Amino acid sequence: MADTDVQLQPRKKGLTRRQKQRLSRGVQYVVFVAAVIAFAVGADWGRLKNQFAQWSIAKQMFPDVITLALKNTVLYTVSGFVFALVLGLVVALMRLSSVAPYRWVAGVYIEIFRGLPALLIFIFIGVAVPLAFPGTEIVGGTYGKAAIALGLVGAAYLAETFRAGIQAVPKGQMEAARSLGFSPARAMVSIIIPQAFRIILPPLTNEFVILFKDSSLVLLLGVTLEERELSKYGRDLASTTANSTPILVAGLCYLLVTIPLGFVVRRMEAKAQEAVK
């Protein structure tokens, strides 16, 4: 009789998996909306506007913030990226070399320059190199120093990116090239590296964005008024005007470049995934 009573009792029904997922999403939305409302209500928008959004100060920055600061930032980044591409490819080939000393040198370089903060590398180029080689002038002045510093920072990462891209190319490509009479070096330059470039194009664009932001460290090399990049330009005007609006404008100028590049990277990654499918 007791067993029958137990069987007759209705079973407690729990939430299904879909219901739990909906409940979880609902809680997350509520928490997000509550955080946004708390921020909007708690922030002192009047003080923020006075300190970061003075249109009269922002208006004074144009056109120099574009024609001078942004232009210099792009020049520093492009020159450093080109140097990083060349050096990174050389280091990657050394890492893949059958000659052991080449592999050791490449490995030490990658580990050191990936492990050091970019700040220390800029200080090394700006201070240590002139002390070690007195009287030696780097070609291009500040632009040349910036290209070397940014290139050394980026090449350590690009070397590993290149190595992964080269190794991702099917081995049959090299074998087919050799069967057609190509030497190993010619096959690498004509067949393997172009295919590797297509594979690693999204990471290359990401590295360009990183170097674009790292260009703010060029101020450590000692720049003139005409050589200032966005961060230095914004900080100088912020000190002159006792207001942070120039820093906000400089940040927006960074976004003018990084946001479109980020969109391009996502598009390339999506196309690459579609090609794989």
Side-chain angles (χ1 to χ4, degrees):
M1 187 69 178
D3 294 340
T4 305
D5 293 339
V6 172
Q7 293 177 359
L8 293 177
Q9 290 179 359
R11 294 182 180 179
K12 295 181 179 180
K13 295 184 178 180
L15 296 175
T16 64
R17 179 178 298 180
R18 180 173 297 180
Q19 289 173 332
K20 290 180 180 179
Q21 291 175 349
R22 290 178 178 175
L23 179 61
S24 176
R25 283 197 298 268
V27 171
Q28 292 176 35
Y29 281 121
V30 170
V31 171
F32 175 76
V33 171
V36 170
I37 293 174
F39 175 77
V41 173
D44 190 337
W45 296 104
R47 294 183 64 183
L48 285 174
K49 180 181 178 181
N50 290 333
Q51 186 64 26
F52 287 95
Q54 289 294 326
W55 172 245
S56 59
I57 296 176
K59 188 166 58 175
Q60 297 173 9
M61 299 176 65
F62 292 90
D64 287 348
V65 69
I66 302 296
T67 59
L68 176 68
L70 181 58
K71 180 199 73 175
N72 284 335
T73 300
V74 172
L75 287 176
Y76 292 141
T77 305
V78 171
S79 59
F81 186 71
V82 171
F83 182 68
L85 276 178
V86 176
L87 181 59
L89 180 58
V90 171
V91 174
L93 294 176
M94 291 174 63
R95 193 72 184 270
L96 295 171
S97 174
S98 59
V99 181
Y102 288 169
R103 295 198 305 272
W104 299 337
V105 171
V108 169
Y109 168 79
I110 291 171
E111 294 302 323
I112 290 177
F113 282 89
R114 283 203 309 177
L116 288 175
L119 175 69
L120 295 183
I121 297 175
F122 274 85
I123 294 175
F124 176 79
I125 296 297
V127 178
V129 171
L131 290 176
F133 304 97
T136 302
E137 291 291 336
I138 296 177
V139 177
T142 302
Y143 293 97
K145 294 177 184 177
I148 293 174
L150 288 171
L152 290 174
V153 173
Y157 294 92
L158 289 181
E160 288 295 274
T161 302
F162 275 124
R163 181 178 64 84
I166 291 172
Q167 291 180 329
V169 177
K171 294 182 179 180
Q173 296 291 318
M174 175 63 78
E175 295 172 356
R178 294 301 305 278
S179 66
L180 294 174
F182 283 68
S183 66
R186 185 183 174 190
M188 180 64 71
V189 172
S190 302
I191 306 297
I192 306 301
I193 292 179
Q195 295 185 60
F197 260 101
R198 287 195 292 270
I199 294 172
I200 65 173
L201 196 55
L204 288 182
T205 311
N206 275 328
E207 186 59 34
F208 182 87
V209 172
I210 293 172
L211 290 183
F212 184 74
K213 294 184 292 184
D214 284 344
S215 65
S216 62
L217 297 173
V218 171
L219 62 90
L220 298 173
L221 301 176
V223 295
T224 65
L225 292 177
E226 297 299 319
E227 295 171 340
R228 291 178 296 176
E229 39 71 44
L230 281 171
S231 294
K232 175 66 173 172
Y233 183 83
R235 288 180 59 185
D236 287 349
L237 285 183
S239 299
T240 303
T241 60
N243 191 275
S244 300
T245 299
I247 295 177
L248 176 62
V249 174
L252 294 176
C253 289
Y254 278 105
L255 295 179
L256 286 176
V257 176
T258 57
I259 289 179
L261 284 177
F263 177 77
V264 171
V265 170
R266 290 191 294 272
R267 292 292 298 171
M268 289 190 297
E269 290 176 344
K271 288 184 178 181
Q273 291 177 356
E274 291 176 0
V276 171
K277 293 179 181 179

